[in-house]
Amino acid sequence: MQARSKLKSPEKFIRPLIRNIKGYIPGEQPQESRVIKLNTNENPTPPSPKVLQAIKKATDYRLRLYPNPNAKKLRQALAKLHRCKPENIIIGNGSDELLALATRCFVEPRTANTKTQKKISKQTIQYFTPSYSLYPILANIHGARKKEFKLIKGYGLPDKKLLSKGNWDFQAALTYITTPNAPSGAGYKTSKLAKLCKIQDGIVILDEAYADFAEETALELAFRFPNVIISRTFSKAYSLCSQRIGYFIAHPKIITALDKIRDSYNTNELGQAAALATLDDLKYYKRHFKRIIKTRNQTSKILESIGFDVIPSQTNFIFVKPKGLQAKELFTKLREKKILTRWFDTKACRSWLRITIGTEREMDKFLLSTKAIVENHKQR
Amino acid sequence: MQARSKLKSPEKFIRPLIRNIKGYIPGEQPQESRVIKLNTNENPTPPSPKVLQAIKKATDYRLRLYPNPNAKKLRQALAKLHRCKPENIIIGNGSDELLALATRCFVEPRTANTKTQKKISKQTIQYFTPSYSLYPILANIHGARKKEFKLIKGYGLPDKKLLSKGNWDFQAALTYITTPNAPSGAGYKTSKLAKLCKIQDGIVILDEAYADFAEETALELAFRFPNVIISRTFSKAYSLCSQRIGYFIAHPKIITALDKIRDSYNTNELGQAAALATLDDLKYYKRHFKRIIKTRNQTSKILESIGFDVIPSQTNFIFVKPKGLQAKELFTKLREKKILTRWFDTKACRSWLRITIGTEREMDKFLLSTKAIVENHKQR
């Protein structure tokens, strides 16, 4: 241990690119108990009993073996569900892994002396603001150029005319679109997304992490356009955050390219087993989606009734602008009451709070606390 | 489905770098039963009953939650075991994930117009041949320069003089050393590794995937040199391939840099729980290491007695050159008898077969089959 303190710093061995970036800051995962956790969009419902049973059944001497490197059974089951072929599907260690993989598959790292627009586009990762806060981090890690474009009022998608007038890059190597949007919860029409995908001469990832809570899915676009990837996950809607299973649906050639640079054993065997069992019990989950949507709509109404702005949500969370106090203050006061929500310190999000929909009971407590904090603030 | 066949090919959206490389080909993971699997260096012992119990105990409603993003408890337990701090440790989704992460953290992707040796070194990934066949693939994926250096006779490490005479790059950004070596099984003295690490002005990863079967570990070098990373895994010795847990030990600044570009939720919760429980029952595993080493030595002797060349092994596998027939032929014939071994089609490995040490019973069957194949071959 002593020797270590005398060591020279290894800074010089780290790439300047990496030295100069910041990592992603995940939502708090508290160790303390009795916390109401409305901060990372987890489903309040436990996984189906059949899923837990399937994991336990697979927990035996076989764990000594490597997982199936191609998640063959899971891809077959997903292909059946989505009416495509296993060749249209790649499984990731959560969809986050695949979102990162895409940067390395489709985007050239930036080099200093790029002069033509064509070369710049090849190095560009593009996304709307606000959207999933991981995208700029992934661009930074890869050394790509970032291009941000503000969503229109109500967090809607801009049309071609607006994009043309603005700074949109129609040749960007990679465009991420969170649909429905996070953190706002706003949903998008497939017809509108189709127009965007059609005019884009580069890969478009439609990140459908929350699609199960939405009115529409744009899944069909992965089969209509060679440049479109649909991203899905078992984490949110299917209560399997802990098990790290997400997937992409796209043209087989896109999948093959991603597959070449994927870690062979990127998904754990119990995760594969859990996801498979999930697909065998979709009824269980669909019942809970309905409940969450109902709770979401009720919570939204109540918050509106006390003067909060609430974006109509098509997800399992809501984006709200408090009345009478700053979002950050409400966030902090709720944290003191052991209620975790998510506040993003960016220009587009600073006035807003993102609240995951928990159980009815949790949302009652959240509403009670929120009302008390607002009242208390008024009286000061 | 029909529409898809009319799609234009998405080839042009894929980076030329990725289009032109081949992915890693993992050892066969057979779906059929009754196969004797001696091809991917898995431990024949099941995980400890306490580990299986711990996984089952953690399999409940909590799976809906994200795993601990920093694997805090596991890092604390490993720090205790290795007498260092949690800040010296990063947990990966198997050590393969970390080996890949290292390319992105320490090595500049190659650009066309590099002229100085200094810049070339910054883009260089260096390793001995033969060693872990993943290294060149990782270099290709990252767009790094590859530099190979042949191990000396008996798969030993060359000394400084030999390296200087040869083509070794003492400034290479990243050097991988598999120790003990795979696929040969040869072990290396820490004193010899220390000399290599000391003269190397770049990161050196000592990949100790098989260290638990060896006479020495070079762990201390991670604390003696700022440029040294020790790579370990729970897969091989600890019968947890399926759960994907590996780790690096290094200077805290190295760990911090890797951590910035790691997926926040790269390791699954049940994997973390399994690894923790493993550390609580090391006695169980150490007993089995002894058994495997004994079986390994016995198997080696018997193969030598029938004229095979066998490299003295410090791992849970042996590297053998058959007598009387080609390695590939023995591999194929064993495969027909449902005994899987590993044959690498490279210049350095083509004449050899890598055989994982299974149970006594499995090795008896392997030896019987091998003897029969050799006999049969003689009589033709």
Side-chain angles (χ1 to χ4, degrees):
Chain A
M1 297 285 284
Q2 264 191 323
R4 230 168 318 157
S5 58
K6 290 177 210 155
L7 284 181
K8 277 185 222 162
S9 170
E11 287 274 303
K12 69 166 183 169
F13 302 119
I14 299 160
R15 292 173 66 195
L17 173 81
I18 307 299
R19 259 182 259 157
N20 296 330
I21 62 173
K22 281 183 186 167
Y24 180 71
I25 299 170
E28 190 181 348
Q29 303 297 339
Q31 302 288 314
E32 43 184 328
S33 56
R34 297 195 185 202
V35 162
I36 296 182
K37 197 167 175 309
L38 309 176
N39 67 332
T40 50
N41 298 342
E42 288 136 336
N43 191 323
T45 323
S48 140
K50 287 178 188 168
V51 169
L52 299 179
Q53 200 46 46
I55 296 174
K56 285 178 186 166
K57 213 180 139 190
T59 301
D60 60 19
Y61 66 95
R62 290 169 295 176
L63 295 190
R64 74 179 185 85
L65 299 171
Y66 277 101
N68 183 286
N70 305 308
K72 197 175 164 189
K73 285 184 194 165
L74 180 55
R75 281 166 56 240
Q76 284 170 340
L78 283 168
K80 206 175 154 193
L81 176 70
H82 296 310
R83 296 182 191 178
C84 60
K85 292 183 177 169
E87 290 73 26
N88 290 109
I89 295 169
I90 182 171
I91 312 289
N93 186 40
S95 54
D96 281 356
E97 185 203 23
L98 297 174
L99 295 172
L101 207 59
T103 66
R104 305 197 283 276
C105 192
F106 307 118
V107 188
E108 298 297 334
R110 187 171 38 195
T111 47
N113 47 0
T114 305
K115 276 163 195 159
T116 67
Q117 178 56 45
K118 197 179 162 192
K119 280 201 178 167
I120 289 174
S121 293
K122 291 259 176 230
Q123 302 169 358
T124 298
I125 292 176
Q126 185 171 243
Y127 47 87
F128 295 107
T129 55
S131 57
Y132 185 20
S133 55
L134 181 66
Y135 305 149
I137 307 281
L138 294 181
N140 289 344
I141 289 174
H142 188 56
R145 289 168 198 275
K146 292 187 297 262
K147 192 154 226 167
E148 305 189 340
F149 199 101
K150 227 180 123 182
L151 290 167
I152 63 171
K153 204 172 182 295
Y155 304 98
L157 292 173
D159 59 14
K160 190 180 170 183
K161 208 171 144 187
L162 201 61
L163 291 172
S164 300
K165 275 198 343 198
N167 203 18
W168 187 259
D169 184 349
F170 291 95
Q171 269 83 44
L174 178 59
T175 303
Y176 292 114
I177 303 179
T178 323
T179 169
N181 179 254
S184 74
Y188 300 133
K189 291 263 173 220
T190 300
S191 55
K192 201 149 189 189
L193 289 166
K195 278 180 195 162
L196 273 180
C197 294
K198 199 176 175 181
I199 53 175
Q200 193 64 27
D201 190 21
I203 296 287
V204 181
I205 297 183
L206 300 175
D207 185 350
E208 290 203 331
Y210 305 101
D212 291 288
F213 305 103
E215 287 163 13
E216 290 185 43
T217 154
L219 178 66
E220 56 172 283
L221 303 186
F223 306 127
R224 268 173 59 195
F225 300 110
N227 61 328
V228 171
I229 296 172
I230 294 280
S231 174
R232 292 283 184 92
T233 177
F234 281 86
S235 293
K236 316 283 182 178
Y238 299 96
S239 303
L240 271 184
C241 290
S242 69
Q243 286 305 91
R244 318 306 306 125
I245 303 285
Y247 59 100
F248 273 2
I249 307 166
H251 191 288
K253 286 196 177 169
I254 295 287
I255 298 298
T256 302
L258 288 162
D259 222 37
K260 278 203 251 181
I261 61 172
R262 173 179 68 80
D263 276 355
S264 300
Y265 301 110
N266 64 330
T267 58
N268 70 94
E269 186 68 25
L270 296 182
Q272 291 186 31
L276 255 177
T278 299
L279 296 179
D280 269 343
D281 199 13
L282 287 180
K283 262 190 198 166
Y284 168 92
Y285 294 92
K286 284 181 181 166
R287 206 162 58 235
H288 287 294
F289 298 162
K290 280 188 191 156
R291 233 191 54 205
I292 289 166
I293 289 170
K294 198 176 153 195
T295 311
R296 173 190 80 195
N297 295 345
Q298 281 169 347
T299 310
S300 299
K301 265 187 203 156
I302 294 169
L303 288 172
E304 281 173 336
S305 76
I306 60 166
F308 281 36
D309 277 347
V310 184
I311 304 298
S313 169
Q314 293 202 26
T315 62
N316 69 334
F317 56 84
I318 49 176
F319 203 49
V320 309
K321 191 176 178 175
K323 168 140 184 175
L325 78 175
Q326 295 295 314
K328 191 184 178 181
E329 193 170 356
L330 179 54
F331 166 79
T332 309
K333 297 255 193 245
L334 284 168
R335 181 72 191 83
E336 284 163 13
K337 289 173 188 274
K338 291 200 174 188
I339 299 175
L340 299 189
T341 60
R342 194 85 178 265
W343 177 72
F344 296 95
D345 192 10
T346 63
K347 198 183 161 197
C349 299
R350 205 166 283 143
S351 310
W352 298 77
L353 216 57
R354 196 193 69 185
I355 297 141
T356 306
I357 302 301
T359 61
E360 288 90 336
R361 206 189 152 91
E362 287 175 327
M363 297 321 283
D364 285 347
K365 284 192 184 168
F366 158 76
L367 286 167
L368 264 177
S369 296
T370 299
K371 284 176 185 171
I373 292 165
V374 172
E375 273 309 309
N376 198 33
H377 192 84
K378 270 188 203 161
Q379 284 160 14
R380 278 196 311 186
Chain B
M1 297 287 283
Q2 265 189 322
R4 231 169 316 157
S5 57
K6 290 179 211 156
L7 283 181
K8 277 185 223 162
S9 170
E11 287 273 305
K12 70 166 183 170
F13 302 120
I14 299 160
R15 293 173 67 194
L17 173 80
I18 308 298
R19 259 182 261 157
N20 297 330
I21 63 172
K22 282 185 186 163
Y24 180 72
I25 299 171
E28 190 181 350
Q29 304 297 336
Q31 301 288 316
E32 42 184 328
S33 55
R34 298 196 184 201
V35 161
I36 296 182
K37 199 170 175 306
L38 309 177
N39 67 332
T40 52
N41 297 343
E42 289 136 335
N43 191 324
T45 324
S48 138
K50 287 180 188 168
V51 168
L52 299 179
Q53 201 44 46
I55 296 175
K56 286 179 185 164
K57 212 180 142 191
T59 302
D60 61 18
Y61 67 96
R62 289 169 294 176
L63 295 190
R64 73 179 187 83
L65 299 171
Y66 277 102
N68 183 286
N70 305 309
K72 197 176 162 188
K73 284 184 195 167
L74 180 55
R75 280 167 55 240
Q76 283 170 340
L78 283 169
K80 206 175 152 191
L81 176 70
H82 296 310
R83 296 182 191 177
C84 60
K85 292 183 178 171
E87 290 74 24
N88 289 110
I89 295 169
I90 182 171
I91 312 288
N93 186 40
S95 54
D96 280 357
E97 185 203 24
L98 298 175
L99 295 173
L101 207 60
T103 66
R104 306 198 282 278
C105 193
F106 307 118
V107 188
E108 298 298 335
R110 186 174 37 196
T111 48
N113 47 1
T114 305
K115 277 165 196 156
T116 67
Q117 178 56 44
K118 197 180 164 191
K119 280 199 179 169
I120 289 174
S121 293
K122 291 260 176 228
Q123 301 169 359
T124 298
I125 292 176
Q126 184 171 245
Y127 47 87
F128 294 107
T129 56
S131 58
Y132 185 19
S133 55
L134 182 66
Y135 305 150
I137 308 282
L138 294 181
N140 288 345
I141 290 174
H142 187 56
R145 288 169 199 274
K146 292 187 296 264
K147 193 154 224 166
E148 304 190 340
F149 199 102
K150 227 181 123 184
L151 289 169
I152 62 170
K153 202 168 183 291
Y155 304 97
L157 292 173
D159 59 13
K160 191 180 169 184
K161 207 171 147 189
L162 201 60
L163 292 171
S164 299
K165 274 197 343 198
N167 203 17
W168 187 258
D169 184 347
F170 291 96
Q171 268 83 44
L174 178 58
T175 303
Y176 293 114
I177 303 179
T178 323
T179 171
N181 179 254
S184 74
Y188 301 134
K189 291 263 172 219
T190 300
S191 54
K192 201 149 190 189
L193 289 166
K195 278 181 195 162
L196 272 180
C197 294
K198 199 175 175 183
I199 52 174
Q200 193 63 27
D201 191 21
I203 295 287
V204 180
I205 298 183
L206 300 175
D207 184 349
E208 290 202 331
Y210 304 101
D212 291 289
F213 304 103
E215 287 163 14
E216 290 186 43
T217 154
L219 178 66
E220 58 172 282
L221 303 187
F223 306 127
R224 267 173 59 194
F225 300 110
N227 61 327
V228 171
I229 296 173
I230 293 281
S231 175
R232 292 281 183 96
T233 177
F234 280 86
S235 293
K236 315 283 185 180
Y238 300 96
S239 303
L240 271 184
C241 290
S242 70
Q243 286 304 92
R244 319 305 306 127
I245 302 286
Y247 59 100
F248 273 2
I249 308 165
H251 190 289
K253 285 195 177 170
I254 295 288
I255 298 297
T256 302
L258 288 162
D259 222 38
K260 279 203 250 180
I261 60 172
R262 173 179 66 82
D263 276 356
S264 301
Y265 301 112
N266 64 331
T267 58
N268 71 95
E269 186 68 26
L270 295 183
Q272 290 185 31
L276 255 176
T278 299
L279 296 179
D280 270 343
D281 199 13
L282 287 181
K283 262 190 198 166
Y284 169 91
Y285 294 92
K286 285 181 180 164
R287 206 163 55 234
H288 287 292
F289 298 162
K290 280 188 193 156
R291 233 190 55 204
I292 289 166
I293 290 170
K294 197 177 154 195
T295 311
R296 175 190 79 196
N297 295 345
Q298 279 168 348
T299 309
S300 300
K301 264 187 205 158
I302 294 169
L303 288 172
E304 281 172 337
S305 76
I306 59 166
F308 282 35
D309 276 348
V310 184
I311 304 297
S313 169
Q314 294 202 24
T315 62
N316 69 334
F317 55 85
I318 48 176
F319 203 49
V320 309
K321 191 173 177 179
K323 167 141 187 176
L325 79 175
Q326 295 295 314
K328 192 185 177 182
E329 194 170 356
L330 179 55
F331 167 78
T332 309
K333 297 259 194 243
L334 284 168
R335 181 72 190 83
E336 284 164 13
K337 291 175 187 272
K338 292 201 174 189
I339 298 175
L340 299 189
T341 60
R342 195 84 178 267
W343 176 72
F344 297 95
D345 192 10
T346 63
K347 197 183 162 198
C349 297
R350 206 165 281 145
S351 311
W352 298 77
L353 216 56
R354 196 192 69 185
I355 298 141
T356 307
I357 302 302
T359 60
E360 286 90 338
R361 207 188 152 92
E362 287 174 327
M363 297 322 283
D364 284 346
K365 283 191 185 172
F366 158 76
L367 286 168
L368 264 178
S369 296
T370 299
K371 283 176 188 171
I373 292 166
V374 171
E375 274 309 309
N376 199 34
H377 192 83
K378 270 190 204 162
Q379 285 159 15
R380 279 194 310 184

